[in-house]
Amino acid sequence: MCSRYLGFFLLVWFPGALHAQSAALQCAAPSLDHGNFVPVKETYSHDSKLTYACRNTHKPAVEGWWAEIVCQHGTWSHTPRCIEEKACIPPTIANAKYTEASEGWYKEGHIIRITCDKGYEHKDNIATAKCINGTWSSLPMCEISIKSCRAPPKIPHAIIVDQGYQELFLEDAEVKYECEDGYSTEGSHKKTLFCLAGTWTEGPMCRSSSTSANRPLFIPIENCGTRPNVPNGVVVEEHRMYLKFQCNSFYKQVGEDTVSCYNDGSWSKLPVCEDAFCVMEPGHYDRGLDLSVTEYIKEGETKYIPCTWPDYSVAVHCSNRRITYTRCCTTYDHHRGTCS
């Protein structure tokens, strides 16, 4: 008997509760002076989108001449507002702060003053901007201070500990290095670098613990004389204690990318830049392909070379320095994967 009444009560109560919950998620139509919005309704359900624009002499208080708001759990994503065309919306200035207007926009003639974040400084000593006819005049910028440091140097056989990744370090910041297992530096396993006047102090050189007694010590690279040459590679970073190489395009690196100087005046082992491309020489190929110039294809790359017939091409793929290519097909067939 009780269960029968309970079931009846739930049938009556649930629809009412669900209706109340649905109503709570709805948004009322917003008010918008000097503007219009579509679609026009009395209420809007959750996730509904509403587009609005402003009439002559006014503009939305956001970027662009029209804007969109979304109903989220009974609240609009932002309050639509039309402001005078000569007013300014808040500017976006990286690595800086300034006093925000309580209305969310600034009247013509208003002047803002920015404060750069720690580690940054005003570029060209410009710290203010003025709203003129709806646009900010000469927006100030914050650039990295000459006393701050970029990312710390990479040290062979060492890792950074107790420090999360960051792009900028303030003056006097410190970074702790730890040698990999089997390596040490000057009898220790750890060393700390400091950011001083925009430059990192000299880093540790981690040497193999098992052979450190027989291995020459590293010294500044200026003691090794002529810089080493890595065919098809270039120096991308020069440090007091090492050179860092990078292979050119179409080549892959084998071995360590950093080179150091031993105290006997010799360089440590150089990296090697191996070929990482395929070559198709000029000539006639089967499947309707004629080449008048040499084609180079990067390792792992697929290149589309025109056939003798208009709007047809061959897909040439380079893998392990070996070339495979399809028959002549249209772009549509290539994208469908039906060309082989």
Side-chain angles (χ1 to χ4, degrees), residues 24 44 113 118 162 228 240 285 311 313 334 337:
Y44 298 81
R113 181 180 180 84
K118 288 185 177 180
D162 302 328
R240 180 170 176 266
Y285 293 79
D311 301 323
S313 63
H334 283 303

Side-chain angles (χ1 to χ4, degrees), residues 218 245 254-260 262 266-272:
F218 289 113
F245 285 86
V254 178
E256 292 284 346
D257 59 357
T258 54
V259 178
S260 303
Y262 291 128
S266 64
W267 291 99
S268 61
K269 188 175 181 180
L270 300 178
V272 176

Side-chain angles (χ1 to χ4, degrees), residues 30-38 40 50-60 65 80-83:
S31 59
L32 182 63
D33 296 333
H34 308 292
N36 304 91
F37 56 82
V38 290
V40 178
L50 186 150
T51 301
Y52 70 93
C54 301
R55 293 192 285 271
N56 293 337
T57 72
H58 285 76
K59 64 183 180 182
W65 66 271
R81 183 181 288 114
C82 291
I83 62 176

Side-chain angles (χ1 to χ4, degrees), residues 18-96:
L18 292 174
H19 176 75
Q21 183 181 19
S22 176
L25 295 176
Q26 294 180 340
C27 295
S31 59
L32 182 63
D33 296 333
H34 308 292
N36 304 91
F37 56 82
V38 290
V40 178
K41 299 180 182 179
E42 292 185 1
T43 60
Y44 298 81
S45 60
H46 175 68
D47 277 342
S48 292
K49 296 180 180 179
L50 186 150
T51 301
Y52 70 93
C54 301
R55 293 192 285 271
N56 293 337
T57 72
H58 285 76
K59 64 183 180 182
V62 294
E63 195 68 46
W65 66 271
W66 63 280
E68 184 180 80
I69 56 177
V70 182
C71 177
Q72 293 290 318
H73 303 288
T75 303
W76 290 108
S77 54
H78 71 264
T79 301
R81 183 181 288 114
C82 291
I83 62 176
E84 294 181 358
E85 283 187 332
K86 293 186 177 181
C88 293
I89 62 175
T92 300
I93 305 176
N95 309 307

Side-chain angles (χ1 to χ4, degrees), residues 298-329:
K298 287 184 179 180
E299 177 68 26
E301 180 184 51
T302 298
K303 191 171 187 178
Y304 295 91
I305 301 176
C307 296
T308 54
W309 312 306
D311 301 323
Y312 279 74
S313 63
V314 165
V316 181
H317 183 73
C318 176
S319 178
N320 296 323
R321 300 182 62 185
R322 292 179 177 272
I323 288 179
T324 57
Y325 56 96
T326 66
R327 57 187 172 86
C328 288
C329 294

